[in-house]
Amino acid sequence: MLLVCARGGNIPTDLWISDRRFTIHALYPEFYDPRVPLPHHALVVNAIGDADLCAAALSRCMDVLSQSRAPVINRPIRVQVTGRAEIARRLGAIKGVIAPKIDTLHPTAILEADNLQFPLLLRRPGFHTGEHFVYVANHHDLPQAIDSLSSAEKLLLISYLDARGADGMSRKYRVMFVDGVIYPLHLAISRDWKVHYFSSAMAQNPLLREEERCFLEDMPTALGATAMGALRQICTTLDLEYAGVDFAVASDGSILLFEANATMVVFPPSQDAMWDYRRRAIDNVLDAAGRMVSKLADAARLSHGKII
């Protein structure tokens, strides 16, 4: 049984939940009628990952789960506390993590604030892949930046973390947590402050791809002991069976936190041989997630003698 939100903010699961092995029932908690029996299921996968966008759906999940005895991947109560502002506060308390200060404010309150430190970032909650996310260099640029965010009622005011290395390039590592194990997924490097793999310089620069290869093949050496220790603590603190974290590494080896939640997307690259070095790392994550689903579903069937 797959829990999904009608508004979006869901984790893509088609690459690690096989419809050749499982019958998948998608249930939208916002519209759940407790008078209607749940479909037969051996496992619940909560694919609702965005705590900022999907608060109502995550809350309704409690009603659904009260009717089920099946094991759950990513319990909604744990996802609820992974909104961008809340997770920065929680993970910022971990040794070796430098997290931005994030406040959720009305645009008018931001304009009237007299203690802003520039540069800063503004973001509409509930969006990903860089949508509705802007860099503000100074107070003069603030009104135009706010206007560009489509008259949102609330904005995330985020302190800027400089992720540039000695070469002037910004780096964003992505690491996945699957069933308690840490997996490297990718490293994107860009001249822009807003780093995404699809808009990075990776395809144009073989030296950057070599740096990513070293990270994927030997993550502890690439990141260092401080960052690895922080990642282990982040994994424990999130306490999610499927999640990830985006970050850079500071000069002292600490993690510069961008985000950590269950919404991290895992997509195989194109068939171009240039990306062959990335395939094993991606397959490792997808295979681990698939094994986790099978393990929990099989254990539930054995425990109860039938599908729940």
Side-chain angles (χ1 to χ4, degrees):
M1 185 168 68
L2 192 69
L3 303 181
V4 287
C5 178
R7 298 187 66 188
N10 301 305
I11 309 163
T13 60
D14 56 308
L15 293 179
W16 49 276
I17 301 180
S18 172
D19 59 5
R20 295 183 177 183
R21 179 174 182 192
F22 299 101
T23 298
I24 302 170
H25 301 279
L27 189 149
Y28 294 82
E30 307 100 306
F31 307 106
Y32 170 62
D33 183 348
R35 297 170 298 180
V36 178
L38 295 177
H40 292 297
H41 60 284
L43 175 67
V44 177
V45 178
N46 173 34
I48 304 172
D50 191 324
D52 291 318
L53 179 67
C54 307
L58 287 167
S59 180
R60 287 298 312 278
C61 284
M62 310 309 175
D63 297 331
V64 177
L65 295 182
S66 69
Q67 306 299 317
S68 172
R69 293 181 294 130
V72 181
I73 290 176
N74 281 10
R75 287 196 168 274
I77 195 170
R78 297 173 187 167
V79 176
Q80 282 180 314
V81 292
T82 60
R84 291 184 187 272
E86 174 68 8
I87 206 64
R89 183 191 65 78
R90 291 173 63 205
L91 300 186
I94 295 174
K95 182 180 180 181
V97 176
I98 300 171
K101 184 178 185 297
I102 302 180
D103 294 310
T104 305
L105 299 171
H106 190 277
T108 301
I110 297 174
L111 286 171
E112 295 176 350
D114 57 6
N115 59 345
L116 299 179
Q117 294 186 350
F118 294 90
L120 57 79
L121 306 177
L122 292 177
R123 185 167 205 154
R124 286 190 65 177
F127 289 90
H128 298 269
T129 64
E131 287 187 291
H132 304 288
F133 187 27
V134 296
Y135 173 97
V136 186
N138 51 60
H139 203 284
H140 179 267
D141 294 339
L142 191 59
Q144 182 177 353
I146 290 176
D147 286 344
S148 73
L149 295 173
S150 305
S151 302
E153 292 186 5
K154 295 287 185 180
L155 293 174
L156 299 176
L157 174 65
I158 307 171
S159 62
Y160 174 67
L161 299 181
D162 192 342
R164 290 174 296 180
D167 58 359
M169 305 286 277
S170 295
R171 285 161 172 79
K172 185 170 76 172
Y173 297 84
R174 176 166 293 183
V175 162
M176 300 298 295
F177 308 123
V178 182
D179 206 13
V181 179
I182 303 173
Y183 296 90
L185 186 69
H186 67 230
L187 165 61
I189 305 173
S190 173
R191 291 206 173 276
D192 192 18
W193 67 271
K194 188 192 296 185
V195 187
H196 292 94
Y197 209 98
F198 62 83
S199 62
S200 69
M202 306 303 289
Q204 293 77 39
N205 193 326
L207 294 178
L208 301 184
R209 296 197 295 275
E210 174 62 17
E211 183 177 343
E212 182 184 28
R213 184 192 66 78
C214 292
F215 163 63
L216 296 178
E217 295 183 0
D218 189 357
M219 177 172 57
T221 298
L223 298 182
T226 299
M228 288 302 300
L231 287 174
R232 286 189 285 270
Q233 287 299 309
I234 291 172
C235 182
T236 300
T237 301
L238 288 174
D239 197 20
L240 294 168
E241 290 77 17
Y242 182 91
V245 56
D246 284 345
F247 62 95
V249 178
S251 58
D252 68 352
S254 299
I255 278 179
L256 296 174
L257 179 72
F258 298 144
E259 64 175 303
N261 50 53
T263 62
M264 302 295 173
V265 177
V266 181
F267 281 139
S270 71
Q271 293 304 309
D272 193 312
M274 172 174 62
W275 305 116
D276 285 351
Y277 72 95
R278 297 183 57 208
R279 301 189 198 284
R280 177 177 294 182
I282 292 170
D283 288 345
N284 286 344
V285 173
L286 296 174
D287 290 347
R291 288 194 306 271
M292 173 177 62
V293 169
S294 294
K295 176 186 71 175
L296 292 174
D298 289 344
R301 282 195 289 262
L302 288 172
S303 174
H304 296 279
K306 60 180 180 179
I307 295 177
I308 301 167

